[in-house]
Amino acid sequence: MHQAPPRLLFDLTGVTFIDTHGVDVIRDAYYALGSNDRVAVCGLGPHLQKLFILLGLVGRIPTYPTRHDAIVYGALD
């Protein structure tokens, strides 16, 4: 029986601060699960959005404004 590879959605809604260890967890999951949209992030507030842009994660790891958008547009197919 073929099992689909796991998918992981980090819902950061309400998170106002994330340190390097938190970013490392997200980035490590992205590399471990592959770059085929297996890892996504949603709910980035303005400060986290800026951080993800500065770190070059936006455009590499799929980001969605809300959990609903992530589910509807494919993060958890």
Side-chain angles (χ1 to χ4, degrees):
M1 176 181 217
H2 175 69
Q3 185 175 2
R7 291 180 176 260
L8 183 59
L9 176 63
F10 289 94
D11 186 348
L12 301 179
T13 303
V15 175
T16 58
F17 174 81
I18 189 170
D19 65 8
T20 57
H21 297 290
V23 172
D24 286 346
V25 167
I26 296 169
R27 190 176 53 226
D28 290 350
Y30 171 78
Y31 289 124
L33 295 177
S35 59
N36 296 328
D37 295 337
R38 296 282 168 219
V39 175
V41 177
C42 69
L44 292 175
H47 296 293
L48 294 183
Q49 179 77 21
K50 183 176 181 180
L51 175 65
F52 273 57
I53 291 169
L54 289 172
L55 294 175
L57 298 176
V58 171
R60 182 179 305 164
I61 298 175
T63 59
Y64 300 89
T66 66
R67 181 181 223 186
H68 174 77
D69 290 334
I71 294 168
V72 169
Y73 297 109
L76 298 177
D77 296 5

